[in-house]
Amino acid sequence: MSKMRFYALKELTNRSAVEVTPPSSKLSDYYASHVFDRKKMQEYLPREAFKAVMDAIEKATPISREMADLIANGMKSWAKSLNVTHYTHWFQPLTDGTAEKHDGFIEFSEDGGVIERFSGKLLIQQEPDASSFPNGGIRNTFEARGYTAWDVSSPAFVVDTTLCIPTIFISYTGEALDYKTPLLKALAAVDKAATEVCQLFDKNVTRVYANLGWEQEYFLVDLALYNARPDLCLTGRTLMGHSSAKDQQLEDHYFGSIPPRVTSFMKELEIECHKLGIPVKTRHNEVAPNQFELAPIFENANLANDHNQLVMDLMKRIASKHQFAVLFHEKPYSGVNGSGKHNNWSLSTDTGINLFAPGRNPKGNMLFITFLVNVLMMVYKNQNLLRASIASASNCYRLGANEAPPSILSIFLGKQLSAMLDEIVKKVTDTKMTPEEKTILKLGIGRIPEILLDNTDRNRTSPFAFTGNRFEFRATGSSANCAAPMIAINAAMASQLNEFKASVDKLMEEEVGKDEAIFRVLKEMIIASEPIRFEGDGYSEEWKQEAARRGLSNISCVPEALLHYTDHQSRYVLLGEKIFNESELTSRLEVELEKFTKKVQIESRVLGDLAINHIVPIAVSYQNRLLENLRGLKEIFSPEEFETMSGDRKELVREISRRVTAIKTLVAEMIEARKVANNKPTHKEQAFTYDEMVRPYLDKIRDHIDHLEMEIDDDIWPLPKYRELLFNK
């Protein structure tokens, strides 16, 4: 056994659960203690400064320089009570994480001494170096300046001894370089469009909020084993490894008893989350061994997204304290369940109505049906944009495998609700409806709550499933920033609602009654969007054929999926709703294509290194042991006996030799393929070449290595195996 693997396994014998104690037995005593929320603002800010913040949050009123100074001073005073020494503008660049540059409160005073100061100017805006973040060609390398600007709607918080201020991140010329800026625009767009539609039914509605409840799946692996697997460390997934004899076949891990050491990690994570006002509620074992899930209560989509990014960072740091590494890769282990981040999305009004929940009367149910049908139409028209929003080098390994949804976008409503929509199509006519027909239709719609009462099943193979009072976008990957799909969904919904309202208004101008106009437009949309509704098995070959007949896309190639960010319909939505300008949209595509290329490139280089420097030498060493054994047998036994006894060993020598030769040949070919891809002139050509010419080698080389793992003496195999990675807690 290699020293690295030996010591990694030896360390496991010393592992035990860490004792974790909350600051108080009462959660409410420390919940949001590290957040500058409304309660603390009222305590630390003058009345006029508090009002300025509230007006900025609720009415988008600008904050004056004078008020900013007061807010900054109050925020600093609160932070100092938690022993804070630094502050940072916390933002979300187009990478796989967050970014922060810490500055101390220290400044020189007029007499040459030092004082602690934090001004409104520093609170509202800073200038971090923007040249080294992904920008898709918006900026030249020598143009370093970029701006971070305070997002008032997301409260500041304290991590360790640093005050973190959530911000947007834009270039010197004003283009968005982050996820938050377009997300805020998409949320504003859906607010405006949905409010106008709601006012067809209820004039009291003045705001509509998009809500998000994410479900974060992840794997834990012992830190020593993780460090002994260079592929896990460098790519987030195992690029080789034969399946364990036992993995998830017995389905005994799902919802099973949580191991004590994992429970300790979860307890500390929850405590730190609650201090930061993150309402995590649910924890459980997931399907695969050493796979788990964390889920919070629903929040406003912008805050929920900030919280998810913060949670992922917390998980990494807390896991290491418990001698774990946390894996967010969508498919860290071949052949077992991958990890997603289900985005549960809903819309609610400032009057307390969930627009995806049935009402208490036919009028309320008409509002529900209106938004339900608009979602159907939104997904149908924008299936390629939604597919692009969750496309990545890592998520492509997960989609369509085990419990992940397929690449084909479809919506599961349940048979009863689908039948109700079909009834509307049958009963609504293009000619003027009689009062009796309207009454019958409204009575049928009034039955929706009792219909849904028994319609509680979910379709786990549906990428976009209605689950009673929300839609669950299951295709989002576990490592993704929720903002990417939330931008696409909310922008597309805003566009769809605007079209719906325009169609209704046009009929009303032709003197068609409001209710009848709504019914007619809904009928057209129900008919048009019917192909996106699917109740069956999304994994089946029959569905792939049926989806093709319906005209639905089935895009498995990541670069191809990403190109749909700039197709006609996506441009109509993203440019039309002013989520991006032309250069921003083009740059997003460039960034995503480049990220895909770099990740495949890294995996290729890591696999080539491990194959040639770890696996091949071990295989040759074991082959030499077999040859030595054969020479010994030949010396002792007669030729006849030797031939009888040595057949299996000779065949094994040939097998090892064949696979070693194949590995070396394939690695050399893969390197040449990389050179070809690297010389392509555009990010688009590079991405497609890496996908078509380089990525296939990963599976080919892996296949030979995995066979060698089963043929070579376990005692000398250099890397921790699947049975060790998956079953050590």
Side-chain angles (χ1 to χ4, degrees):
M1 187 180 297
S2 71
K3 287 185 178 180
M4 188 160 56
R5 183 178 169 210
F6 172 78
Y7 285 115
L9 292 171
K10 186 177 179 182
E11 280 191 46
L12 292 174
T13 61
N14 301 320
R15 304 291 194 225
S16 60
V18 176
E19 186 65 33
V20 176
T21 306
S24 168
S25 59
K26 193 175 180 183
L27 173 60
S28 57
D29 287 345
Y30 62 91
Y31 188 80
S33 61
H34 286 48
V35 183
F36 196 57
D37 55 15
R38 294 191 182 201
K39 182 179 178 182
K40 299 187 188 67
M41 280 192 272
Q42 285 182 310
E43 180 181 350
Y44 282 89
L45 299 184
R47 183 175 298 175
E48 64 271 25
F50 176 73
K51 185 177 185 303
V53 175
M54 291 301 101
D55 286 346
I57 294 172
E58 296 169 2
K59 303 174 186 176
T61 306
I63 295 175
S64 69
R65 177 64 181 274
E66 180 186 5
M67 288 299 107
D69 283 335
L70 291 173
I71 295 163
N73 190 58
M75 192 182 289
K76 186 196 75 172
S77 297
W78 166 73
K80 294 299 292 180
S81 72
L82 294 173
N83 300 314
V84 164
T85 58
H86 289 69
Y87 65 91
T88 183
H89 275 200
W90 182 83
F91 58 99
Q92 300 170 34
L94 300 177
T95 60
D96 289 335
T98 57
E100 50 197 68
K101 179 188 74 171
H102 296 197
D103 286 303
F105 290 121
I106 185 171
E107 285 191 15
F108 281 117
S109 62
E110 293 177 0
D111 62 3
V114 293
I115 57 173
E116 292 180 310
R117 179 177 292 164
F118 183 50
S119 67
K121 179 182 178 182
L122 296 175
L123 166 65
I124 289 176
Q125 183 175 302
Q126 281 194 308
E127 296 183 20
D129 184 342
S131 63
S132 296
F133 290 105
N135 60 72
I138 282 181
R139 325 184 31 73
N140 294 309
T141 303
F142 57 81
E143 296 174 321
R145 182 177 291 178
Y147 292 115
T148 51
W150 181 27
D151 173 17
V152 186
S153 64
S154 187
F157 55 90
V158 168
V159 175
D160 294 329
T161 58
T162 302
L163 171 65
C164 302
I165 302 156
T167 61
I168 63 169
F169 180 42
I170 58 175
S171 71
Y172 176 63
T173 49
E175 288 97 349
L177 296 173
D178 66 343
Y179 285 105
K180 181 182 277 285
T181 303
L183 176 61
L184 291 172
K185 290 180 179 180
L187 297 178
V190 80
D191 171 19
K192 182 177 181 296
T195 298
E196 290 183 1
V197 171
C198 284
Q199 288 186 347
L200 290 171
F201 303 87
D202 184 354
K203 295 293 184 184
N204 294 318
V205 175
T206 59
R207 290 287 303 274
V208 171
Y209 305 97
N211 305 306
L212 170 64
W214 43 264
E215 300 170 23
Q216 181 70 59
E217 294 177 340
Y218 61 97
F219 281 85
L220 290 176
V221 59
D222 187 87
L223 193 57
L225 296 174
Y226 173 81
N227 289 331
R229 289 287 308 223
D231 50 352
L232 270 182
C233 294
L234 298 176
T235 73
R237 77 179 182 108
T238 52
L239 299 175
M240 61 189 73
H242 198 282
S243 59
S244 171
K246 178 185 183 297
D247 45 56
Q248 65 185 53
Q249 309 100 311
L250 299 178
E251 300 175 335
D252 53 343
H253 189 256
Y254 192 48
F255 281 22
S257 176
I258 302 173
R261 194 169 144 221
V262 176
T263 300
S264 295
F265 158 74
M266 290 177 168
K267 282 182 180 178
E268 184 168 358
L269 175 62
E270 288 174 356
I271 290 168
E272 295 305 314
C273 284
H274 291 151
K275 286 180 184 177
L276 291 166
I278 305 172
V280 293
K281 182 178 178 67
T282 302
R283 66 188 188 203
H284 64 81
N285 288 3
E286 254 299 335
V287 174
N290 264 351
Q291 186 187 32
F292 308 94
E293 182 178 296
L294 174 76
I297 301 171
F298 274 59
E299 298 180 283
N300 172 276
N302 178 45
L303 182 58
N305 187 62
D306 282 357
H307 280 169
N308 180 251
Q309 289 296 296
L310 183 53
V311 162
M312 292 172 75
D313 185 57
L314 282 173
M315 289 172 79
K316 292 174 185 176
R317 293 191 289 112
I318 293 171
S320 65
K321 291 172 63 176
H322 294 260
Q323 299 300 306
F324 283 123
V326 62
L327 306 178
F328 293 120
H329 193 288
E330 283 75 8
K331 200 73 171 175
Y333 303 109
S334 178
V336 299
N337 202 51
S339 295
K341 177 151 46 195
H342 307 159
N343 279 207
N344 292 277
W345 168 69
S346 67
L347 298 174
S348 60
T349 70
D350 56 352
T351 59
I353 299 171
N354 180 344
L355 295 171
F356 296 150
R360 298 178 180 176
N361 51 50
K363 181 180 177 182
N365 288 332
M366 267 302 297
L367 183 62
F368 163 69
I369 285 289
T370 296
F371 275 85
L372 183 80
V373 174
N374 273 282
V375 172
L376 289 173
M377 199 65 184
M378 178 271 288
V379 175
Y380 177 60
K381 292 197 302 192
N382 297 282
Q383 54 184 290
N384 291 337
L385 173 58
L386 299 190
R387 177 69 182 87
S389 75
I390 51 89
S392 70
S394 51
N395 203 25
C396 70
Y397 291 109
R398 164 182 167 263
L399 293 180
N402 298 88
E403 292 196 349
S407 298
I408 306 167
L409 263 290
S410 65
I411 291 184
F412 171 81
L413 292 180
K415 293 180 181 178
Q416 292 88 343
L417 201 49
S418 287
M420 172 58 70
L421 297 184
D422 294 338
E423 278 297 304
I424 293 174
V425 171
K426 288 179 186 176
K427 291 179 179 177
V428 174
T429 61
D430 295 331
T431 57
K432 187 173 180 64
M433 297 174 67
T434 66
E436 292 78 12
E437 287 173 328
K438 291 180 185 178
T439 300
I440 291 170
L441 191 55
K442 287 181 179 179
L443 286 174
I445 288 173
R447 291 179 52 246
I448 289 173
E450 60 192 76
I451 287 173
L452 291 185
L453 188 65
D454 298 321
N455 186 27
T456 55
D457 195 17
R458 296 187 186 194
N459 186 326
R460 299 185 71 87
T461 71
S462 173
F464 211 98
F466 179 68
T467 55
N469 59 3
R470 63 191 184 276
F471 283 90
E472 184 180 27
F473 192 25
R474 295 178 57 84
T476 309
S478 55
S479 67
N481 188 314
C482 295
M486 284 294 104
I487 291 165
I489 289 171
N490 287 291
M493 189 63 177
S495 178
Q496 173 55 39
L497 290 170
N498 286 331
E499 289 186 14
F500 170 78
K501 178 69 162 47
S503 297
V504 171
D505 288 346
K506 183 179 179 182
L507 285 175
M508 290 170 63
E509 288 171 5
E510 298 171 2
E511 298 187 354
V512 175
K514 183 178 72 174
D515 286 355
E516 190 164 338
I518 291 171
F519 275 128
R520 286 193 194 178
V521 176
L522 289 178
K523 174 186 175 180
E524 292 174 4
M525 290 164 55
I526 292 168
I527 294 170
S529 65
E530 187 175 4
I532 207 71
R533 286 155 49 191
F534 179 63
E535 312 294 332
D537 180 4
Y539 293 159
S540 68
E541 285 299 319
E542 291 78 10
W543 167 233
K544 291 179 183 178
Q545 297 166 15
E546 172 63 22
R549 286 193 292 271
R550 295 185 184 192
L552 302 181
S553 301
N554 182 9
I555 307 169
S556 57
C557 169
V558 174
E560 181 186 347
L562 292 172
L563 288 181
H564 285 287
Y565 263 124
T566 54
D567 67 19
H568 176 75
Q569 178 61 24
S570 297
R571 291 168 60 84
Y572 174 77
V573 167
L574 297 173
L575 299 180
E577 294 301 324
K578 296 182 171 55
I579 311 303
F580 299 112
N581 62 32
E582 187 75 46
S583 62
E584 287 173 329
L585 183 56
T586 302
S587 75
R588 296 280 153 152
L589 174 59
E590 293 291 299
V591 167
E592 293 303 322
L593 289 170
E594 188 178 15
K595 274 163 55 173
F596 172 82
T597 295
K598 287 180 176 178
K599 288 184 177 181
V600 178
Q601 182 187 70
I602 291 168
E603 288 190 349
S604 167
R605 294 177 68 180
V606 171
L607 180 59
D609 172 57
L610 289 176
I612 299 302
N613 294 310
H614 287 64
I615 305 304
V616 167
I618 288 295
V620 171
S621 174
Y622 185 61
Q623 186 182 50
N624 288 337
R625 281 171 51 179
L626 291 173
L627 290 171
E628 187 64 32
N629 176 261
L630 286 170
R631 279 192 288 270
L633 290 175
K634 192 170 186 178
E635 289 176 5
I636 296 172
F637 297 99
S638 67
E640 293 80 9
E641 289 176 307
F642 173 72
E643 286 302 321
T644 302
M645 300 171 64
S646 63
D648 58 338
R649 267 151 284 194
K650 286 180 181 177
E651 184 55 38
L652 186 52
V653 168
R654 292 191 189 97
E655 176 74 2
I656 291 173
S657 181
R658 182 178 69 82
R659 294 198 181 278
V660 165
T661 300
I663 288 170
K664 295 177 76 172
T665 300
L666 290 169
V667 168
E669 290 175 359
M670 181 172 66
I671 291 171
E672 292 305 311
R674 277 208 313 266
K675 291 177 182 178
V676 171
N678 293 339
N679 286 323
K680 295 295 180 181
T682 67
H683 289 310
K684 175 184 172 181
E685 290 174 283
Q686 286 180 355
F688 274 98
T689 307
Y690 262 95
D691 187 58
E692 294 164 4
M693 293 183 60
V694 178
R695 219 160 65 90
Y697 281 106
L698 300 179
D699 287 336
K700 293 176 183 178
I701 295 168
R702 177 182 189 140
D703 181 65
H704 288 290
I705 294 174
D706 289 358
H707 276 88
L708 286 175
E709 182 182 321
M710 297 300 288
E711 293 160 352
I712 291 173
D713 187 350
D714 179 73
D715 202 39
I716 64 170
W717 190 254
L719 304 174
K721 298 186 175 184
Y722 268 29
R723 67 171 185 267
E724 295 156 356
L725 295 167
L726 289 169
F727 290 97
N728 281 293
K729 306 177 180 68

